[in-house]
Amino acid sequence: WLPIGDKLLDELKTHFLTIKNFPDLTKASTILEATSREEFYDFLCDRFSVHSYSSLYDVLPLANITDIFTTNIDDLINRIYESSNTKYINTTTNEGTPYGSRSVVNYSPVHGCVRFPSKGFIFSKTKLSSAYTNQRDDWTNLRNTIRSKPIIFWGWSFDDADVIQALYSGRNTINENDMKWILLRNPKDYEITFYETLGFKIIIGDT
């Protein structure tokens, strides 16, 4: 399993004693970026490189998916599509322009990926606040995608300011797309109300 949020912070605190008193992942990451960047990145690459996964994920290459955007830094998607004989990944953050081929899935890990550590990761407070400005190509691809294509938000809680800015600022926002769904696991009533107010159709389930 791959840690997120508080679980990741707990693991980092065990490995990096300098952040043992930090209650917030983004602030702790800011310190590690500044003081122990190489060791911090080595830790992330080791922890988030996927060596095995459930075979249930192998259904994804069979679906008509054209684009995947993620704020995760693991390489699960890469692993899944490497096992496919019919689809392959074009990592737009590394290889550039999206492709329109039926055999290609354009993949945008907007906060970085362990496959390309030299490009950096976006965990720290400062990087999150400037990501939208510094990664125009990724966000342009996202905005072009959300204008007209059906889209599913899967395992995302609307906490990442850079993604929210890409979705809702300027012209051609996600509000214009009524073909949008969000997958929720054991949602509270207020969560359903919140996402329905934003125009999402609700899927209740888990991965």
Side-chain angles (χ1 to χ4, degrees), residues 95-112:
E95 298 164 21
T97 308
Y99 287 95
S101 168
R102 288 180 176 271
S103 62
V104 174
V105 175
N106 294 302
Y107 179 56
S108 301
V110 295
H111 285 177

Side-chain angles (χ1 to χ4, degrees), residues 4-74:
I4 58 172
D6 290 342
K7 297 293 185 183
L8 174 57
L9 180 59
D10 288 342
E11 292 190 14
L12 287 170
K13 286 180 177 180
T14 300
H15 194 82
F16 299 95
L17 297 182
T18 55
I19 60 164
K20 64 180 181 180
N21 295 321
F22 278 75
D24 179 89
L25 177 61
T26 59
K27 291 177 181 176
S29 297
T30 301
I31 296 298
L32 294 177
E33 282 263 12
T35 61
S36 308
R37 188 177 189 272
E38 185 175 350
E39 188 179 356
F40 179 41
Y41 278 20
D42 286 345
F43 177 91
L44 294 175
C45 288
D46 181 66
R47 191 64 182 89
F48 287 93
S49 292
V50 174
H51 301 290
S52 62
Y53 62 88
S54 168
S55 61
L56 294 174
Y57 281 106
D58 287 331
V59 72
L60 287 179
L62 304 178
N64 185 25
I65 297 172
T66 61
D67 302 86
I68 296 175
F69 297 87
T70 182
T71 55
N72 295 337
I73 67 167
D74 61 73

